[in-house]
Amino acid sequence: MPKLKTRKSIAKRVKRTASGKYKFCKPGRRHLMTGKTGKQKRQMRSAGVLSTAHAQRLKKALPYG
């Protein structure tokens, strides 16, 4: 049985926590921040957590992670 390939594009964007959930950095923080409200900027600071439906798809994309 050959080794499974990891989807590198997803591996760069998502990290797996100790409990098995997947966390990611929220998009929209690179530039054009002056046009966003303080509430938007504050909510983008915290890490997002993927739902369990998406987590099942990620397990196939990240076989060793």
Side-chain angles (χ1 to χ4, degrees):
M1 191 76 191
K3 291 194 281 186
L4 297 172
K5 287 194 172 184
T6 299
R7 299 276 182 158
K8 297 307 261 181
S9 59
I10 297 174
K12 291 171 187 175
R13 290 169 170 82
V14 175
K15 300 256 184 191
R16 192 166 182 206
T17 62
S19 62
K21 295 177 184 175
Y22 291 97
K23 70 176 186 175
F24 63 95
C25 291
K26 291 183 183 170
R29 290 197 59 194
R30 296 287 178 188
H31 59 100
L32 301 175
M33 294 293 280
T34 55
K36 296 181 173 87
T37 62
K39 182 180 179 181
Q40 283 178 306
K41 292 187 254 189
R42 200 164 45 249
Q43 287 177 342
M44 282 189 275
R45 272 186 228 140
S46 63
V49 179
L50 287 173
S51 65
T52 54
H54 292 292
Q56 290 172 352
R57 292 177 65 196
L58 274 180
K59 283 180 185 176
K60 291 180 183 176
L62 302 171
Y64 304 108

